Amino acid sequence: MNEIKIKSALVSVFNKENLEELLYKLRELEVKIISTGGTREFIEKLGIPVTSVDELTGYPSILGGRVKTLHPKVFGGILARRDVESDNKDLQKYEIQGIDLVVVDLYPFEETVAAGASDDEIIEKIDIGGISLIRAAAKNWKDVVIIPSREQYAFLLEILGKQKGISNTDQRKKLAIEAFHITSHYDTAIFNYLNATGHKEVFKKSVAPAKQLRYGENPHQRGTFYGSFNQLFDQLHGKEISYNNLLDIEAALYLIDEFTETTFAILKHNNACGVASRPDLTEAWKLALAGDPASAFGGILITNGTVDKLTATEIDKLFFEVIIAPNYNFEALEVLKKKKNRIILLRKKAPLPVIQFRSLLNGVVEQDRDIRMESRDDMQPVTKKVPSDADYADLVFANKVVKNSKSNTIVLARNRQLLASGVGQTSRVDALKQAIEKAGIYGLQLNGAVMASDAFFPFPDCVEIADHAGISLVVQPGGSVRDQESIDYCDQHDMAMVFTGVRHFKH
């Protein structure tokens, strides 16, 4: 196992949090400590003996602290291979001390960028010495212990405590893996900051941490989530979240964020099967459920309002997988927590990414997320009949839902309630027929309803079918060479139609 006892350590950290216990343990084991600048001052204040890097190298810190540890007497001590005779001769010849442990905590580059600092401030937070120390120690992991961040302090304390400062090969290699993960992540963040304008067309992402899922889309597939789920949610109750839950949760967030008024939505397989907007949340829930109570079974529920006891009591009548809300009353949680596996998520105020990427063939595709949403002012009437104010409210509502449904899709709505939808169809006509049939199953009348389409109608067949079903208002992007045929049909049958000029495919 090639066990090596730690006799000397170089400690150079930006953040001193949790460092004290580690330093006292090093002193207890009589480990010689070498340090720089602010870290050295911190150690001295604890009354722990420390050798400054200046003393070791014979050179002071220069260039305003930009150069402190970049010296052969530091890196030679780290990189020397203990079992290579020529390396040991070089150490003796140039009076270089071996260094067995390197402890580093890098400048907070990503945090500085996130805080909106100036370019100059951000550049100064690009760590040079620290990253070089980590790489050197990690490269020589067969002989050196590398602690590349505060996250590894606990692991080091175990080595210093239970093992009396003696590390083995497996432990050092594990730490080297952590080290190169940290350096690669750090460099990726710097690259993406400098390359924000896309000058260099390459795909570089580093996403951590990783959470192993029970399985992927199906039980025979492996699944892992990379990212910080806890930045977006607090899970208040329920079982472990699955791969499919995550897909539905994302779709639910994108949909609910289209609405400013109190809204409830129910999703299944990334598509809305119920949506309603009302000032009263309980009423919004009941109307959302009425759109497709069968599909709602086992679905994902989301609202932008506070869930109270009355609403929770109504919701509790349905079996569902997940509920998401920005707030819950205490009494509501008591009701919802009765089912032990029910996942209850409290949504935090955190931004969602505006860039999307996915694996495709033997590579990756990246795109801007579709964050555009058309308001009433973006809807251009193209028929003789012009929508009323109430009509426009429904046109906007339906367009929000159709944007967040899988193509080809048709959405039918009235009075800010989803009546039915046809989603994921190879034909737009089939999507419309599916929606009309579904509305009929649940006794939802379509007279005066709105039809929304995610893309243009290549022929007038859809407006004709809609007219026969009682639908009188249409919102679509427009752009077909045969748009006029659909417009003419609407004019001949007293229908109003508006164009948005924006297609919303979703695959």
Side-chain angles (χ1 to χ4, degrees):
M1 293 293 284
N2 189 20
E3 294 183 338
I4 295 176
K5 183 173 178 60
I6 297 170
K7 299 176 182 177
S8 61
L10 191 153
V11 183
S12 180
V13 300
F14 178 84
N15 191 317
K16 314 302 185 292
E17 185 180 350
N18 299 326
L19 183 61
E20 192 171 328
E21 182 182 1
L22 189 154
L23 292 168
Y24 282 128
K25 202 67 185 176
L26 290 173
R27 183 181 68 175
E28 181 183 318
L29 294 174
E30 299 182 346
V31 174
K32 179 179 179 180
I33 301 175
I34 305 160
S35 193
T36 64
T39 308
R40 177 180 55 78
E41 292 174 4
F42 178 84
I43 297 170
E44 288 176 338
K45 287 179 181 178
L46 295 175
I48 297 173
V50 58
T51 300
S52 72
V53 168
D54 299 5
E55 182 183 340
L56 183 73
T57 64
Y59 278 85
S61 172
I62 62 173
L63 306 181
R66 281 189 165 198
V67 179
K68 296 190 284 285
T69 58
L70 297 171
H71 192 279
K73 286 207 170 185
V74 174
F75 282 84
I78 296 170
L79 286 165
R81 293 160 292 185
R82 279 40 169 188
D83 60 349
V84 176
E85 185 178 352
S86 60
D87 284 9
N88 287 317
K89 286 181 178 179
D90 283 343
L91 292 180
Q92 292 176 0
K93 180 178 179 179
Y94 298 106
E95 298 180 338
I96 298 173
Q97 303 173 23
I99 297 173
D100 308 311
L101 167 66
V102 175
V103 180
V104 176
D105 183 66
L106 296 170
Y107 291 166
F109 177 82
E110 289 181 280
E111 293 85 347
T112 305
V113 173
S118 67
D119 282 346
D120 287 345
E121 291 173 310
I122 291 169
I123 294 300
E124 288 308 310
K125 287 298 184 290
I126 296 177
D127 206 313
I128 301 300
I131 209 88
S132 301
L133 290 170
I134 292 173
R135 289 179 63 84
K139 176 177 180 175
N140 202 25
W141 59 268
K142 290 183 178 180
D143 295 306
V144 178
V145 175
I146 174 60
I147 301 299
S149 77
R150 285 172 288 144
E151 291 183 9
Q152 287 76 45
Y153 283 4
F155 190 80
L156 176 59
L157 284 169
E158 186 172 328
I159 293 173
L160 297 176
K162 292 183 180 179
Q163 298 169 213
K164 305 299 181 183
I166 299 173
S167 66
N168 61 51
T169 304
D170 289 344
Q171 290 171 329
R172 293 193 298 276
K173 186 175 182 179
K174 179 180 179 180
L175 288 167
I177 293 169
E178 291 288 343
F180 283 116
H181 159 62
I182 286 171
T183 59
S184 63
H185 180 87
Y186 197 79
D187 285 342
T188 298
I190 295 169
F191 171 81
N192 285 328
Y193 168 74
L194 294 174
N195 194 49
T197 57
H199 172 74
K200 186 72 174 176
E201 292 188 352
V202 296
F203 182 83
K204 288 184 185 290
K205 301 289 182 187
S206 178
V207 184
K211 177 178 174 57
Q212 201 68 33
L213 303 174
R214 294 199 307 274
Y215 50 80
E217 202 162 5
N218 297 291
H220 60 275
Q221 296 171 266
R222 288 188 299 108
T224 307
F225 174 70
Y226 297 95
S228 182
F229 189 79
N230 293 336
Q231 286 184 354
L232 299 176
F233 305 100
D234 284 328
Q235 183 169 349
L236 305 180
H237 186 72
K239 63 182 179 180
E240 187 178 348
I241 292 170
S242 71
Y243 180 98
N244 291 325
N245 288 155
L246 289 171
L247 293 177
D248 283 328
I249 288 167
E250 181 185 66
L253 293 185
Y254 291 157
L255 173 61
I256 203 68
D257 283 353
E258 305 285 3
F259 297 91
T260 55
E261 62 271 45
T262 301
T263 301
F264 223 118
I266 308 167
L267 290 89
K268 194 78 168 286
H269 294 295
N270 312 155
N271 291 297
C273 56
V275 188
S277 296
R278 289 292 186 277
D280 179 73
L281 188 63
T282 305
E283 184 183 3
W285 159 252
K286 290 179 178 179
L287 291 173
L289 181 62
D292 189 347
S295 295
F297 183 86
I300 306 292
L301 316 184
I302 190 166
T303 181
N304 54 10
T306 297
V307 179
D308 56 22
K309 183 179 180 181
L310 178 60
T311 307
T313 302
E314 291 297 322
I315 293 170
D316 190 53
K317 298 174 183 177
L318 175 77
F319 169 75
F320 60 90
E321 288 271 333
V322 181
I323 182 169
I324 308 164
N327 200 10
Y328 302 85
N329 288 349
F330 176 78
E331 295 82 2
L333 286 175
E334 285 188 320
V335 172
L336 295 173
K337 287 181 178 181
K338 289 178 181 177
K339 305 290 195 315
K340 70 174 184 177
N341 288 330
R342 181 179 283 165
I343 297 168
I344 304 174
L345 297 179
L346 177 69
R347 187 180 181 184
K348 299 179 181 179
K349 292 182 179 179
L352 293 170
V354 294
I355 300 295
Q356 295 176 314
F357 55 89
R358 62 185 291 182
S359 61
L360 188 65
L361 298 175
N362 62 344
V364 176
V365 289
E366 181 181 86
Q367 69 169 355
D368 298 334
R369 181 161 66 86
D370 186 3
I371 58 175
R372 181 164 177 175
M373 190 65 252
E374 297 71 53
S375 66
R376 170 177 174 165
D377 293 339
D378 298 313
M379 295 182 174
Q380 180 64 41
V382 293
T383 52
K384 294 176 182 177
K385 185 176 181 179
V386 177
S388 67
D389 289 344
D391 292 337
Y392 271 115
D394 280 345
L395 290 166
V396 170
F397 175 93
N399 199 44
K400 289 177 179 179
V401 179
V402 84
K403 171 194 165 183
N404 289 278
S405 302
K406 293 292 184 74
S407 301
N408 288 313
T409 179
I410 293 289
V411 161
L412 307 180
R414 185 181 56 240
N415 194 18
R416 292 170 298 131
Q417 177 193 10
L418 173 62
L419 300 177
S421 61
V423 297
Q425 299 301 305
T426 53
S427 160
R428 200 159 301 281
V429 170
D430 287 346
L432 174 57
K433 288 180 177 179
Q434 182 188 65
I436 292 172
E437 180 183 3
K438 185 166 284 191
I441 290 172
Y442 298 111
L444 299 170
Q445 297 300 314
L446 297 178
N447 291 332
V450 167
M451 173 175 68
S453 175
D454 60 333
F456 64 64
F457 297 122
F459 305 102
D461 45 6
C462 279
V463 291
E464 182 177 355
I465 294 169
D467 174 42
H468 291 159
I471 295 161
S472 59
L473 296 133
V474 181
V475 54
Q476 59 140 319
S480 168
V481 294
R482 303 179 71 167
D483 275 345
Q484 193 58 48
E485 294 180 26
S486 293
I487 293 170
D488 290 343
Y489 184 91
C490 288
D491 283 339
Q492 293 162 11
H493 296 83
D494 197 32
M495 298 175 71
M497 182 161 63
V498 298
F499 285 179
T500 64
V502 180
R503 188 185 75 184
H504 288 297
F505 271 169
K506 183 183 178 188
H507 296 104

